[in-house]
Amino acid sequence: MNVQTRAIEVTRYSPERDKEPYLQRYDVPFDESTSILDALNYIKEHIDATLSYRWSCRMAICGSCGVMVNGIPKLGCKDFLRLYDHTPETPIRIEPLAHFSVERDLIVNMDEFLTHLEAVKPYIIGDNVDTASLPAEASLQSPAQLSRYQQFANCINCGLCYAACPQFGLNPEFVGPGAIALAHRYNLDSRDHGKTERMPLLNSKNGVWSCTFVGFCSDVCPKGVDPAAAVNQGKVDSAKSMLIQLFKGSQLQGEHQ
Amino acid sequence: MQQHSFDVIVVGGGGAGLRAAIAAASADDSLQVAMLSKVYPMRSHTVAAEGGAAAVTRDDDSYAAHFEDTVAGGDWLAEQGVVDYFVRHAHAELVQMERWGCPWSRRPDGHVQVRRFGGMKTERTWFAADKTGFHMLHTLYQTSLKYPNIQRFDEYFVLDLITDESGIGGVIALQISTGELHVLYANAVIMATGGAGRVFRFNTNGGIVTGDGMAIAYRHGVALRDMEFVQYHPTGLPGSGILITEASRGEGGVLLNKDHYRYLQDYDLGPETPLGEPKNKYMELGPRDKLSQAFWHEQQQGRTGKHGESDVVYLDLRHLGAEFLHERLPFICELAKAYVNVDPVKEPIPIRPAVHYTMGGIMTDSQCETSIGGLYAVGECASVGLHGANRLGSNSLSELLVFGRLAGEKAARRARAFANKQHHNLLQARSKAILATWEDKIAGLMDTSTRDPKSRSWAELKQALVTTMETGCGIYRQESALQETLETIRALKADYQDVRIEDQSGVYNTDLLHCIELEFSLDVAEAICLAALERRESRGAHQRLEPELTQRNDREFLKHSLVSWENERAVLRWQDVDTSLSAPGERAYGDQRKTRQADNGGAA
Ligand SMILES: Cc1cc2nc3c(=O)[nH]c(=O)nc-3n(C[C@H](O)[C@H](O)[C@H](O)COP(=O)(O)OP(=O)(O)OC[C@H]3O[C@@H](n4cnc5c(N)ncnc54)[C@H](O)[C@@H]3O)c2cc1C
Ligand code: SF4
Ligand code: FES
């Protein structure tokens, strides 16, 4: 059988061994269905067992396998060799997600994203169901109410939008597109009463106003979440909530005089 | 080496682990709960569940009906008391998920919508589009953030348990980001490590689903129960095994062979239901084992088509129309497009059966406790006795919640009862000894100077394992092939002793992790194969080809299989089944049901 191969080059880096990351080249067999992840798995099992990267579901839902492919953030399991035109002189380049610290090879420090995610309080607030006994009845939510936030609930926490965001690259304290989308998801949920608790972070200098609206985050999102829209709607909310704060503040001052 | 002390330790951050951690943490906020997972919780394979979670919901439904479907679906090998508890508690758990923000799909009036599912008499499956597991997992993970007394150890790989004469004492784990070993003490430990589908070549499971927790408990003397029952899902994508949810048949999809014929009517599942009118328990909505077996027969008779290397049949959704498909099955449209380049609106999707679910697991009592005091197991890694010989689709997501909560509460109670117990010298000595064994073992794996030039890599051994499991332990089984597979597995276990790894580093050494996972998988595979060999009858997902074994044999085999590790070998025993609520009857689907019921004087 005549097996076609493709050249790819992969970032290698071990903090225990290397001063600097470098690129290593591999030739992998290829057909119409070979994904970037398949190629990495082939290398791991047949060529070089020391290559490290994250993956699990191989069906674009667990969010583990984000990498840069020729400079663009992609899910390795949902990106295919067939989509890249290349010659032996120009291999497909696979690198760790941009803007994160690299731990080893293609593995980055995901806590840099998850800390932001956890900071936006991504859970229903004010529904008073936190008792040890179970609630008896489900709340009502119309399909229209559901569809207000549904898209923002589809985030798989892959971090591609962070790798696409120039602001996050400059300021790692920026809450960032994925986490803002999640905050927005809860703010829009008819069952939630936690918006006032989430707004201070979104209003802060590391919140929505850090965004300069490049919009690349939404382009790279593999799940159609459109985090840029969330950030933008967040700006409107933020402007409103700051106006209210301002108004309340001046009223208070007025009362004290 | 670092040491930590907790009240409760949860191993696994999937649906079961998260639900258990929340239950333990909310039972008593003074309890300190640790949750360890080899991946970030939202990467756990619960994320891949598409179809939905079952609970009696509609007015015209009843606990008795859900109970009957589950017990009959499991071919009378389910523990009936456990099933009874389950059907009574599932609804409240789904409501709890709703209150925690799970975006369940809704009816126009705002109530949660339910859908049809295979083997269920009536609509009782809650769903969140076709990403139910994803939404449940993220809802649970996000909700868990509210509990300051849950401390997560993400990307910690659990290697072993520490026990003493009074029961469990803790776990040993490897911190993946550094390679450092940790000892974590607790008087209650919950295993929630998921299934073992990856011991088969062709499966719907994620790469992490390697049976670790089952093997770890087994090596400590806990029996693995009903391991021979491995569910094939009838609709996986050829090549990758990626799942096309059963909900696509619930919504009206039909199965065709290469001659465009709805072949299921030839396998006691008919008569053919009209297009667009799916009927519970008929045709495409028959149970999974029957559908996968029908594929095998079609394949034997040359009536399957080809997609690449794979024999396939076709799932036709075209009559449902673009709008409906994009609303109800958006993920299926995305997966079919990405992985087989098919637009379901325009073309039928090529599919074939793939290993999907391990019905068996770590044996527990009805309260999720194992034979080691204070060690609990829950979710797909466990056998609490809910599924019997075949799991009904959408029962396991509910299982994670119902029994996750139960395990969490029991563990919390145990932790309080033992709160004053000191981690005495014996336990410390034990943990030291186990730690030393692992240090030696890891050093041994890395010691390439002693490598036998003929030795194979873990990757080669894994390939051999998954291939032999598929050949010898697949949809249909027989003595000679099972015997051969068992011998192959044992030879692979011997070969494993010579394995060495290339990677010498501490930081993210995935070479090491995969190598250890393989050792776990080999234990689990041996248990599956041994039980399959000894169960000389056909029941549920376990089907034997020998003419005298094609029927269920209640006289000899209305029993659970138990495989235990004793004196360095796998030993099989049998355990009686709780059939106190419903005597074994015949499992029938399609019109066969009516005929059988008429024969039995109309009793349902
Ligand atoms: C594709 C697919 C679709 C499905 N669809 C449905 C459905 O529609 N309805 C339904 O009811 N069921 C469905 N199922 C079954 C159901 O989803 C699973 O049985 C269930 O999600 C398993 O959950 P779990 O919490 O037990 O395990 P998992 O979600 O697999 O989690 C296991 C956890 O254990 C951890 N772990 C494992 N080993 C170790 C170790 N050594 N050290 C540390 N941590 C470890 C992992 O990191 C992970 O966090 C589906 C299954 C699949 C594969
Ligand atoms: S918003 Fe999209 S790109 Fe960003 S983390 Fe979520 S799924 Fe990934
Ligand atoms: S492996 Fe899960 S998203 Fe790619």
Side-chain angles (χ1 to χ4, degrees):
Chain A
M1 213 167 56
N2 198 359
V3 184
Q4 288 190 67
T5 62
R6 283 284 191 272
I8 61 177
E9 51 186 16
V10 184
T11 305
R12 300 306 309 273
Y13 171 68
S14 156
E16 294 154 278
R17 210 177 42 221
D18 308 314
K19 277 213 179 66
E20 292 283 321
Y22 61 96
L23 288 166
Q24 188 165 351
R25 181 185 155 130
Y26 304 95
D27 290 310
V28 297
F30 147 93
D31 68 25
E32 278 302 291
S33 69
T34 312
S35 66
I36 298 288
L37 174 64
D38 293 333
L40 295 174
N41 281 341
Y42 183 86
I43 296 169
K44 178 101 188 154
E45 300 203 354
H46 299 275
I47 309 177
D48 184 349
T50 68
L51 179 67
S52 277
Y53 49 95
R54 291 191 182 102
W55 72 285
S56 176
C57 72
R58 54 81 180 95
M59 55 190 281
I61 193 75
C62 78
S64 307
C65 67
V67 286
M68 307 298 280
V69 183
N70 285 352
I72 310 283
K74 297 275 185 188
L75 289 181
C77 68
K78 210 191 168 194
D79 195 29
F80 300 89
L81 297 192
R82 65 169 185 266
L83 302 174
Y84 296 86
D85 214 27
H86 56 108
T87 62
E89 292 76 50
T90 56
I92 302 173
R93 178 174 291 189
I94 305 172
E95 296 165 297
L97 284 182
H99 306 150
F100 290 96
S101 327
V102 179
E103 302 269 348
R104 162 154 188 196
D105 297 342
L106 298 173
I107 296 178
V108 298
N109 183 344
M110 260 293 142
D111 290 339
E112 291 165 2
F113 162 28
L114 293 178
T115 334
H116 292 313
L117 186 146
E118 299 184 358
V120 303
K121 306 193 177 185
Y123 36 78
I124 298 280
I125 295 175
D127 190 38
N128 296 327
V129 288
D130 272 345
T131 51
S133 66
L134 296 170
E137 262 182 82
S139 24
L140 293 178
Q141 183 165 66
S142 70
Q145 286 172 321
L146 171 64
S147 69
R148 287 186 71 206
Y149 71 87
Q150 196 167 28
Q151 157 193 352
F152 302 115
N154 280 330
C155 170
I156 61 173
N157 301 171
C158 63
L160 299 196
C161 51
Y162 286 74
C165 172
Q167 288 310 311
F168 181 68
L170 295 171
N171 170 22
E173 301 295 310
F174 173 36
V175 175
I180 292 176
L182 194 60
H184 198 54
R185 171 246 177 279
Y186 280 98
N187 285 343
L188 290 176
D189 193 318
S190 54
R191 299 166 291 186
D192 179 74
H193 304 90
K195 193 167 175 178
T196 47
E197 286 190 40
R198 289 185 201 102
M199 286 323 285
L201 179 61
L202 299 186
N203 294 341
S204 76
K205 78 173 193 320
N206 294 320
V208 289
W209 301 103
S210 263
C211 165
T212 53
F213 209 71
V214 176
F216 192 34
C217 53
S218 289
D219 295 344
V220 304
C221 175
K223 291 283 141 183
V225 174
D226 198 358
V231 176
N232 235 17
Q233 291 170 28
K235 285 180 182 168
V236 176
D237 285 344
S238 175
K240 275 196 220 152
S241 102
M242 288 198 293
L243 269 175
I244 293 170
Q245 288 301 323
L246 211 65
F247 181 65
K248 275 191 185 157
S250 61
Q251 260 193 337
L252 273 174
Q253 272 171 9
E255 282 163 14
H256 282 285
Q257 272 170 1
Chain B
M1 189 263 296
Q2 291 189 40
Q3 300 195 39
H4 317 256
S5 280
F6 286 92
D7 296 299
V8 175
I9 291 174
V10 181
V11 183
L18 282 162
R19 186 66 187 88
I22 293 173
S26 54
D28 180 343
D29 56 17
S30 71
L31 291 179
Q32 294 303 310
V33 179
M35 194 177 88
L36 292 81
S37 170
K38 64 178 176 179
V39 294
Y40 284 96
M42 66 296 226
R43 317 297 187 212
S44 307
H45 205 57
T46 295
V47 79
E50 297 167 1
V56 171
T57 304
R58 287 164 36 140
D59 291 342
D60 57 359
D61 199 359
S62 67
Y63 295 143
H66 193 187
F67 173 91
E68 267 169 41
D69 286 346
T70 304
V71 169
D75 226 348
W76 276 272
L77 213 61
E79 287 292 286
Q80 295 186 357
V82 169
V83 179
D84 186 58
Y85 178 87
F86 168 74
V87 299
R88 289 173 193 278
H89 289 80
H91 185 261
E93 284 295 332
L94 297 182
V95 169
Q96 173 68 85
M97 287 298 294
E98 194 281 329
R99 291 303 193 93
W100 280 337
C102 189
W104 298 116
S105 293
R106 302 282 178 158
R107 302 194 318 222
D109 65 2
H111 285 285
V112 172
Q113 187 156 346
V114 284
R115 70 166 36 138
R116 241 177 242 108
F117 236 72
M120 300 277 188
K121 266 190 212 71
T122 181
E123 291 83 338
R124 61 168 76 100
T125 299
W126 295 39
F127 60 101
D130 53 359
K131 292 187 199 166
T132 308
F134 162 81
H135 285 300
M136 284 178 52
L137 185 67
H138 280 252
T139 301
L140 285 167
Y141 155 63
Q142 289 160 11
T143 300
S144 78
L145 300 173
K146 287 197 296 194
Y147 298 88
N149 55 333
I150 299 178
Q151 185 177 337
R152 289 208 326 267
F153 291 79
D154 294 339
E155 300 197 320
Y156 277 64
F157 188 103
V158 172
L159 298 168
D160 219 328
L161 302 174
I162 313 164
T163 57
D164 68 12
E165 64 292 335
S166 70
I168 195 75
V171 304
I172 307 257
L174 183 142
Q175 182 177 5
I176 301 176
S177 63
T178 60
E180 204 182 342
L181 294 179
H182 293 243
V183 178
L184 295 97
Y185 293 108
N187 292 319
V189 172
I190 302 171
M191 297 300 259
T193 51
R198 281 269 157 174
V199 308
F200 288 84
R201 189 169 75 97
F202 198 77
N203 65 78
T204 67
N205 288 190
I208 55 173
V209 189
T210 45
D212 307 4
M214 295 178 185
I216 292 171
Y218 172 68
R219 284 285 171 137
H220 281 269
V222 182
L224 297 182
R225 181 163 71 186
D226 293 340
M227 292 302 284
E228 65 275 38
F229 299 105
V230 175
Q231 181 171 81
Y232 271 77
H233 196 292
T235 58
L237 291 181
S240 60
I242 290 170
L243 180 77
I244 297 300
T245 174
E246 179 164 317
S248 51
R249 284 173 280 125
E251 301 289 6
V254 298
L255 290 176
L256 307 174
N257 66 13
K258 79 170 196 296
D259 309 319
H260 314 287
Y261 172 66
R262 287 175 67 189
Y263 59 93
L264 293 176
Q265 58 194 290
D266 297 349
Y267 300 93
D268 288 340
L269 291 158
E272 182 172 343
T273 48
L275 214 56
E277 294 175 33
K279 191 166 168 197
N280 299 317
K281 294 200 170 190
Y282 280 78
M283 293 294 287
E284 283 79 9
L285 293 183
R288 293 179 176 172
D289 53 341
K290 304 261 179 212
L291 264 58
S292 298
Q293 290 150 18
F295 170 88
W296 186 91
H297 289 288
E298 289 293 298
Q299 188 183 31
Q300 297 298 307
Q301 284 153 46
R303 292 198 290 258
T304 45
K306 272 276 180 212
H307 183 93
E309 302 280 289
S310 279
D311 292 334
V312 295
V313 289
Y314 300 92
L315 174 66
D316 194 352
L317 300 168
R318 289 173 299 179
H319 52 283
L320 299 176
E323 197 185 326
F324 185 88
L325 288 176
H326 292 150
E327 188 215 318
R328 296 291 273 264
L329 301 167
F331 192 37
I332 293 314
C333 296
E334 181 188 325
L335 292 172
K337 190 73 208 150
Y339 297 101
V340 287
N341 200 16
V342 162
D343 177 356
V345 175
K346 302 201 181 102
E347 276 176 89
I349 312 171
I351 49 103
R352 57 155 289 175
V355 162
H356 185 55
Y357 187 86
T358 35
M359 264 73 75
I362 302 168
M363 179 184 160
T364 74
D365 61 16
S366 62
Q367 310 292 298
C368 305
E369 193 165 3
T370 69
S371 54
I372 297 177
L375 179 68
Y376 303 82
V378 65
E380 195 172 335
C381 73
S383 166
V384 69
L386 177 62
H387 306 301
N390 175 53
R391 170 190 72 117
L392 290 191
S394 77
N395 264 354
S396 49
L397 286 177
S398 309
E399 174 190 20
L400 306 181
L401 304 171
V402 170
F403 294 99
R405 180 175 65 87
L406 186 64
E409 288 175 357
K410 295 287 163 194
R413 194 170 302 169
R414 164 111 184 167
R416 273 194 304 254
F418 282 70
N420 296 325
K421 185 183 145 194
Q422 287 305 313
H423 295 129
H424 52 74
N425 300 338
L426 179 61
L427 201 62
Q428 299 217 345
R430 287 264 172 96
S431 73
K432 238 192 206 148
I434 299 176
L435 205 64
T437 321
W438 278 97
E439 277 165 352
D440 287 352
K441 189 161 164 166
I442 293 169
L445 286 170
M446 287 185 180
D447 183 3
T448 43
S449 71
T450 57
R451 187 206 303 257
D452 175 347
K454 293 194 298 295
S455 73
R456 293 188 282 171
S457 68
W458 60 260
E460 290 166 295
L461 297 184
K462 185 187 78 174
Q463 205 49 45
L465 173 67
V466 298
T467 310
T468 193
M469 286 304 280
E470 183 169 275
T471 330
C473 241
I475 298 181
Y476 280 99
R477 300 157 169 184
Q478 56 185 321
E479 195 85 8
S480 53
L482 284 164
Q483 199 74 54
E484 204 178 305
T485 295
L486 192 57
E487 277 156 29
T488 309
I489 297 168
R490 287 176 174 158
L492 291 171
K493 287 180 101 168
D495 289 352
Y496 184 87
Q497 301 310 316
D498 297 327
V499 168
R500 295 290 179 275
I501 57 172
E502 298 297 323
D503 197 336
Q504 307 287 316
S505 18
V507 176
Y508 285 99
N509 187 340
T510 51
D511 196 15
L512 173 65
L513 299 185
H514 293 329
C515 191
I516 298 172
E517 285 171 342
L518 175 65
E519 190 178 20
F520 293 149
S521 294
L522 283 164
D523 272 345
V524 172
E526 185 181 12
I528 293 175
C529 197
L530 177 63
L533 178 70
E534 297 293 331
R535 185 174 287 281
R536 292 188 177 82
E537 64 155 356
S538 294
R539 183 187 298 268
H542 172 74
Q543 296 289 317
R544 297 282 298 242
L545 272 178
E546 296 91 327
E548 68 283 11
L549 305 183
T550 58
Q551 299 298 316
R552 199 174 85 194
N553 174 353
D554 284 343
R555 203 170 40 80
E556 286 176 87
F557 291 105
L558 185 60
K559 289 196 161 47
H560 298 293
S561 70
L562 304 179
V563 181
S564 314
W565 187 249
E566 287 171 19
N567 305 319
E568 301 298 299
R569 51 189 283 270
V571 177
L572 187 127
R573 290 195 185 78
W574 300 100
Q575 180 203 16
D576 287 341
V577 182
D578 167 14
T579 53
S580 54
L581 299 171
S582 155
E586 186 141 14
R587 230 182 126 211
Y589 295 91
D591 262 357
Q592 224 194 2
R593 257 169 85 213
K594 287 193 198 146
T595 330
R596 298 284 155 79
Q597 280 168 17
D599 291 351
N600 297 338

